[in-house]
């Protein structure tokens, strides 16, 4: 294992301290520690004019890649929000998550489309989680007007009305979003959108619609998966996170 650049020992130690709290499931201390870590990171990147996390990783040589740590920080915030019913906690940590993802977008490689998409989706879905449906709707609409072929953007938007909705799921709205996505000929990850539509129909007992769509997909030699993704399995969107902590 390569040694950490001596200049960044404090940064590395703070990152690792946060992981120690994480393993103990002491999420309050994780966030406190990693907010300090983030500020140190920003200062150090500014000192060497590092434009991206990858550029900084090349000189940091830390125990953890900065890019991976940032993902874990974001994931921790998401977990806190997702598992809380306290409006104050959801609002406080939700705003942290939004701010973090906005900043993440400033330090990505030009070709890192996946992380950029995940961050944009995280921002929009967090507004939904905080109860600001209008803001979340507006962001998803803006993203998808700019890139109507973003399959997982459509899925993320639809999910807010059933998979991620704790009370009173809106089947019609979820269906409407997924069907609109499938109208785009160049849709990326089309099979994932089709599969999500089938899951929606299955969840709400729409047997006739399920069989109709399933028959069409089979006739086009597209056999959708019938087994739902396990909550602890890797998310199919490619984020590297567990399904339950990402798109599930």
């Amino acid at each position: 294992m390569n040694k950490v650049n001596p200049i960044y020992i404090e940064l590395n130690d703070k990152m690792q301290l946060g992981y120690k709290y994480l393993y103990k499931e002491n999420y309050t201390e994780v966030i406190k520690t990693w907010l300090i870590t983030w500020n140190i990171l920003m200062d150090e990147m500014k000192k060497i004019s590092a434009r991206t996390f990858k550029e900084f990783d090349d000189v940091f040589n830390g125990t953890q890649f900065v890019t991976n740590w940032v993902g874990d920080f974001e994931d921790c915030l998401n977990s806190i929000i997702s598992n809380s019913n306290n409006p104050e906690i959801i609002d406080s940590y939700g705003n942290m998550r939004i701010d973090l993802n906005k900043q993440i977008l400033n330090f990505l490689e030009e070709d890192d489309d996946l992380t950029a998409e995940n961050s944009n989706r995280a921002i929009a879905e967090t507004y939904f989680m905080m109860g600001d449906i209008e803001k979340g709707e507006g962001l998803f609409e803006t993203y998808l007007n700019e890139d109507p072929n973003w399959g997982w953007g459509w899925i993320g938007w639809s999910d807010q009305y059933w998979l991620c909705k704790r009370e009173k799921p809106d089947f019609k709205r979820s269906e409407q979003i997924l069907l609109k996505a499938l109208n785009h000929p160049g849709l990326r990850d089309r099979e994932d959108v089709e599969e999500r539509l089938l899951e929606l129909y299955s969840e709400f007992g729409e047997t006739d619609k399920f069989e109709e769509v399933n028959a069409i997909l089979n006739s086009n030699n597209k056999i959708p998966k019938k087994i739902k993704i396990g909550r602890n399995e890797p998310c199919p969107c490619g984020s590297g996170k567990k399904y339950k902590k990402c798109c599930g």
Side-chain angles (χ1 to χ4, degrees), residues 197-211:
L197 182 61
L198 288 177
E199 289 178 2
L200 177 68
Y201 288 150
S202 177
E203 180 70 21
F204 286 89
E206 296 286 340
T207 306
D208 291 343
K209 289 183 176 181
F210 179 95
E211 295 299 336

Side-chain angles (χ1 to χ4, degrees), residues 78 81-82 90 97 124-131 160 166:
N78 182 37
I81 302 164
S82 300
I90 293 172
R97 188 185 186 210
E125 74 179 16
T126 303
Y127 279 111
F128 272 92
M129 297 164 85
M130 294 168 64
Q160 304 312 308
R166 301 179 184 187

Side-chain angles (χ1 to χ4, degrees), residues 19 30-31 34 38 67-82 93-94 96-102 104 115 118-126 129 239 241 245-246:
Y19 280 111
V30 173
I31 300 305
W34 280 354
W38 176 266
T67 46
N68 291 341
W69 169 74
V70 168
D72 291 334
F73 187 9
E74 200 281 335
D75 190 34
C76 188
L77 287 168
N78 182 37
S79 295
I80 293 171
I81 302 164
S82 300
Y93 286 95
M96 286 184 203
R97 188 185 186 210
I98 289 168
D99 290 342
L100 177 64
N101 277 284
K102 285 181 177 179
I104 288 172
T115 303
N118 286 341
S119 288
N120 280 327
R121 195 174 75 199
I123 293 168
E125 74 179 16
T126 303
M129 297 164 85
S239 68
K241 301 177 183 179
K245 295 183 176 180
C246 190

Side-chain angles (χ1 to χ4, degrees), residues 19 33 91 93 110 117 122 133 137 140 170 192-193 204 214:
Y19 280 111
T33 302
D91 188 64
Y93 286 95
E110 290 185 5
E117 289 175 350
I133 309 304
E137 277 274 319
F140 272 119
D170 188 341
D192 293 315
V193 178
F204 286 89
N214 200 38

Side-chain angles (χ1 to χ4, degrees), residues 165-192:
K165 193 170 177 63
R166 301 179 184 187
E167 298 178 358
K168 299 180 181 179
D170 188 341
F171 165 79
K172 290 294 183 183
R173 182 61 175 148
S174 301
E175 179 189 39
Q176 179 187 44
I177 292 169
L178 294 175
L179 290 176
K180 187 174 181 179
L182 292 170
N183 282 331
H184 294 282
L187 184 69
R188 301 189 300 278
D189 300 309
R190 175 175 293 273
E191 291 186 4
D192 293 315

